[in-house]
Amino acid sequence: MSLADIYRSRRKALERYVQRLLGNADDAAEVSQEAFLRLYAAEVGDQTPVSEALLYTVARNLALSELRKRTSRATDAVGDWDDLRVEDLSPGIEDMLQQRQRVAAIEEAMGRMAPKCLEVFQLRKVENLPHAEIAARLGISTKTVERHITRALQLCHEAMARVEGTHKKKEQG
């Protein structure tokens, strides 16, 4: 089953599952969305076969991470994935088209990343590994990990800015 099929058939069930863990519908929707995005990035990078079980595992890990953040108020110094606004759950054909353009922009940005940068980005944003673990796994310094993540996020933000600029021009003209 493709990720798109899993998304269509399991999105609401996944949100309910995550809501039971977090106790908040809005946070559950965001965490579920993030889980799908992480699996999408893994699928695009041909890192791992996508399955419903993997989706629930990623969502559970993200929910637990969210709970840890709530208690510790720790911040991530490299940027916020949510700022990319990759997915908008609003219905409508225009919204769906904009969503596809956003996903294409992120794919394009990932395609422009150097191989090591892409690997670091996927380990951080897909597998949710901390900087120190990424550094140890790849045999590089945490500073190098931070530089790679910063560069990857910069490319993603630039790609999204181009998409958003295109939408604004269409709305004005």
Side-chain angles (χ1 to χ4, degrees), residues 13-42:
L14 181 67
E15 285 180 15
R16 286 190 302 271
Y17 170 74
V18 174
Q19 185 174 351
R20 284 192 303 271
L21 295 171
L22 296 177
N24 180 310
D26 291 330
D27 290 347
E30 287 182 29
V31 166
S32 298
Q33 175 183 344
E34 179 75 12
F36 278 107
L37 288 172
R38 288 181 184 210
L39 278 187
Y40 179 76

Side-chain angles (χ1 to χ4, degrees), residues 57-126:
T57 300
V58 170
R60 183 180 155 278
N61 289 342
L62 288 170
L64 294 174
S65 178
E66 177 64 25
L67 290 172
R68 280 191 298 273
K69 283 182 199 175
R70 286 180 185 175
T71 58
S72 68
R73 295 292 181 216
T75 59
D76 189 42
V78 297
D80 191 357
W81 179 252
D82 293 335
D83 287 346
L84 295 174
R85 295 180 307 192
V86 173
E87 183 173 28
D88 181 5
L89 296 177
S90 303
I93 292 175
E94 186 175 313
D95 292 329
M96 289 171 50
L97 177 60
Q98 288 178 355
Q99 168 60 19
R100 286 186 181 139
Q101 290 171 336
R102 289 180 183 123
V103 170
I106 296 299
E107 286 177 334
E108 182 265 330
M110 290 173 73
R112 292 179 43 221
M113 292 177 196
K116 186 65 78 175
C117 181
L118 178 61
E119 185 177 13
V120 169
F121 181 69
Q122 289 174 330
L123 288 172
R124 177 69 185 123
K125 295 300 182 183
V126 175

